[in-house]
Amino acid sequence: MAPYDLFALGAAACWAIGSVISVTPSRHLGAFAFTRWRMLMVACMLWAVVAVSGTWHNFDAHAWGVMAFSGLVGIFIGDTALFSAINRLGPRRAGVLFATHAAFSAVLGFVWLGERMSLQAFLGAALTLGGVMMAIVLGRHKGETHAWEVDRGHVGIGVALALVAALCQAVGSLIAKPVMATQVDPIMASAVRVTVASCAHFVLLAAGLKAERAHTRPTLKVLAQTALNGFIAMGIGMTLVLLALEKGDVGMVAILSSVSPILVLPLLWFQLRRAPALGAWIGASLTVAGTALILWR
């Protein structure tokens, strides 16, 4: 078992917690305003760490450019599309569609970076992705009426946004991989990506884009939830992914981090006060088996 495998799984756990925390503040503020506040807070957190550590000295102009581009694609477009999808579909259904980023990453890694998988790793990947899909698709009880399971807006648009988010996540990782392979500081890399994405949102706000305006005035509770989400999902989770990309293949890192919807299930169980359906348990079992094959490849 390689350390980068554990980093990818750690990122999945962070994203699972973050997706549940995000539902209330994202629907309160709207996807654009939520991601703007979230990125601004995370950028401040990350730059504070960078200022103390002094790691900017080893970050050259090329790394700045690559990470900035990765942030625009993977965070600015990807995160905004993801939370727009969550607002429409809820965290469960948006999660299964976003999990396709693992398949996108594997294909792109094969085409552009020449990444290969052993037979055992391929079987593990197939079991993991199949288990994630089954757990989320079959994880809902009939007649579920909780607000997180109710459609808000056009379902087709929600599906399209989730798939765009998945593709952007894969492309963002692919762009970042060559720079991370040189073992630059992942916190500095995260800070650059988040800052560029945050600035892009403020440019749209200054340009008068209606979607950038908050649906409802932010409250202290909503801002606290947004900050907590940003710290866990972006500050920690995104940095763990970049650490994993230092030595791990783009496709394999994406596959392991895609188990986050499985980790959402117990959190939804706690929130909904109802155990997931049988299909969710079967899917989770397949995912565990597939992850084990990958970890011990």
Side-chain angles (χ1 to χ4, degrees), residues 136-154:
I136 306 304
V137 170
L138 303 180
R140 180 185 181 183
H141 291 280
K142 292 182 179 180
E144 183 62 71
T145 59
H146 192 275
W148 288 4
E149 293 287 0
V150 176
D151 297 330
R152 296 192 178 191
H154 195 282

Side-chain angles (χ1 to χ4, degrees), residues 25-267:
S26 180
R27 285 183 171 175
H28 181 98
L29 296 170
F32 279 75
F34 170 71
T35 51
R36 187 178 68 250
W37 276 102
R38 178 177 182 250
M39 291 173 191
L40 178 62
M41 293 173 175
V42 173
C44 292
M45 297 175 197
L46 293 172
W47 282 115
V49 175
V50 170
V52 172
S53 64
T55 51
W56 70 85
H57 295 299
N58 298 323
F59 216 75
D60 59 24
H62 174 69
W64 272 88
V66 171
M67 286 302 161
F69 186 39
S70 174
L72 283 174
V73 176
I75 302 178
F76 172 59
I77 302 175
D79 269 26
T80 304
L82 176 60
F83 289 111
S84 296
I86 290 175
N87 286 351
R88 287 169 170 80
L89 305 176
R92 184 183 64 82
R93 284 172 294 176
V96 68
L97 293 166
F98 183 67
T100 58
H101 77 85
F104 287 137
S105 295
V107 172
L108 291 174
F110 173 80
V111 173
W112 294 106
L113 301 177
E115 295 178 350
R116 301 291 189 274
M117 292 185 191
S118 66
L119 178 59
Q120 180 176 332
F122 178 79
L123 291 175
L127 280 174
T128 299
L129 292 178
V132 168
M133 298 295 181
M134 178 180 291
I136 306 304
V137 170
L138 303 180
R140 180 185 181 183
H141 291 280
K142 292 182 179 180
E144 183 62 71
T145 59
H146 192 275
W148 288 4
E149 293 287 0
V150 176
D151 297 330
R152 296 192 178 191
H154 195 282
V155 174
I157 294 176
V159 170
L161 287 168
L163 293 176
V164 167
L167 181 59
C168 288
Q169 169 69 19
V171 174
S173 296
L174 187 74
I175 294 169
K177 167 63 179 178
V179 170
M180 294 312 303
T182 64
Q183 300 189 6
V184 298
D185 180 61
I187 298 178
M188 177 67 186
S190 294
V192 173
R193 295 178 83 225
V194 173
T195 300
V196 170
S198 179
C199 289
H201 271 291
F202 277 102
V203 168
L204 292 181
L205 180 65
L209 182 66
K210 186 177 179 180
E212 280 285 354
R213 300 172 189 168
H215 293 173
T216 310
R217 184 183 294 274
T219 63
L220 286 176
K221 181 179 180 181
V222 165
L223 291 178
Q225 291 173 326
T226 303
L228 180 60
N229 169 275
F231 174 72
I232 294 173
M234 296 190 74
I236 300 176
M238 185 175 61
T239 302
L240 286 174
V241 165
L242 293 179
L243 273 171
L245 286 173
E246 286 186 354
K247 295 186 178 179
D249 289 346
V250 171
M252 198 56 65
V253 169
I255 289 164
L256 289 173
S257 62
S258 73
V259 304
S260 57
I262 294 295
L263 303 180
V264 167
L265 291 175
L267 300 176

